[in-house]
Amino acid sequence: MTVRKGWILATAAVGAGLSFVMVLVVGVYMVAGNLANGVGQGAVGLAKGSVPAAYRTLVQKWGNLCTAINPALLAAQLYQESGFNPDAKSPAAAQGIAQFIPGTWATHGIDGDGDGDRDVWDPNDAIPSAAKYDCTLAKYVKDAPGNQTENMLAAYNAGAYAVIKYGGVPPYKETQNYVKTITTLQESFAAPVGRVQPSEQAAGAIYFAQKKLGTLYLWGGNGTPEQGGRFDCSGLTKAAYETVGVTLPRVANDQYNAGPHPGRDELLPGDLVFFSDDLTNSRAIRHVGIYVGGGYMINAPRTGAVIRFDSIDTPDYFGATRVTEDGAKALPTSV
């Protein structure tokens, strides 16, 4: 888990002031454009349910704070840091949904909801502060060559001095991986603006799942010999994609973030399809299957049942993910 860097610059107060001016400027232009519930939508929308409903408005609003970020990028950072858990705390003392360390919070934390305090544990303060911190970093490295978003992310990971020194993303493997991780992961949180590219690994994943038809379900099953080759729902999808070189997380709600999200009318065989009792929150997903076409999936449904074909068109259908190798690699190992 990456934690926010603790270096402090004397210009932080000026940067914070400019950030708030920018919010006002953005707000003026948004009035003439696209507004929804008082929140500027900007050019990038969030995929359905990708951000828990409790935080979606905050992420959409503050993700448009400056041109270096967007709502999907901000969502990717929050997911990478805490999995949208407002009570998260790391061994390095990083705190809250945005995983600020105390020194950085003292300098960059803001009263996002205007209630008179700055509470690192309150997403209404922490999410705006995360966006403000990103935009402040972007100002620090604005004169560095290259992509402003990548330079901002590099400054977030390695410090602004390193970006300025090397004239862009520094040659540190950890920093380069972090930049690639967040820019890839944002694709899972962004609403697609066109057709999602087919997955190259889909056929192999389906082939594996088809061979498991008729196998008895096992809660927590990963298909090991000790488990008699049995699976639960996410164990089956994980194993299917592992046969084609793609490593997915173990649980269904994290598998949802392994790529972009095609609409129901755009589904292709090999897409993962998800089900939930809360259609506004991907963190509440409880079931996953592999789409095979014609409105059907292969899935491991429940205790007492076998791996089988089932219709996806049920009231609890949440959405789909077109798994990509880069998307799967970008997922945090623990959130």
Side-chain angles (χ1 to χ4, degrees), residues 212-239:
K212 303 302 176 182
L213 287 168
T215 303
L216 193 64
Y217 175 98
L218 176 67
W219 173 260
N222 294 305
T224 65
E226 296 79 12
Q227 296 172 328
R230 296 158 65 189
F231 298 91
D232 64 9
C233 65
S234 56
L236 176 65
T237 52
K238 185 178 191 303

Side-chain angles (χ1 to χ4, degrees), residues 37-176:
N37 299 319
V39 178
Q41 295 299 299
V44 177
L46 294 169
K48 179 181 89 70
S50 60
V51 174
Y55 312 128
R56 183 181 179 91
T57 297
L58 280 169
V59 172
Q60 186 70 58
K61 173 182 178 179
W62 289 91
N64 287 302
L65 180 60
C66 66
T67 58
I69 64 174
N70 63 65
L73 187 87
L74 180 59
Q77 288 183 295
L78 296 170
Y79 173 70
Q80 172 75 18
E81 294 294 339
S82 70
F84 299 108
N85 177 8
D87 300 318
K89 185 173 182 178
S90 81
Q95 299 172 332
I97 195 170
Q99 289 291 276
F100 277 100
I101 60 174
T104 308
W105 179 258
T107 305
H108 296 283
I110 65 173
D111 178 11
D113 55 6
D115 66 354
D117 70 356
R118 299 182 306 141
D119 185 357
V120 71
W121 301 104
D122 183 356
N124 292 294
D125 292 338
I127 291 174
S129 296
K132 175 256 183 182
Y133 183 58
D134 282 345
C135 293
T136 299
L137 290 176
K139 292 190 183 80
Y140 293 158
V141 298
K142 65 182 176 60
D143 294 327
N147 180 279
Q148 66 169 345
T149 297
E150 293 180 356
N151 287 342
M152 177 275 292
L153 291 170
Y156 173 94
N157 181 265
Y161 175 74
V163 177
I164 295 168
K165 175 183 177 181
Y166 288 102
V169 179
Y172 308 151
K173 188 171 182 62
E174 176 189 338
T175 302
Q176 292 173 343

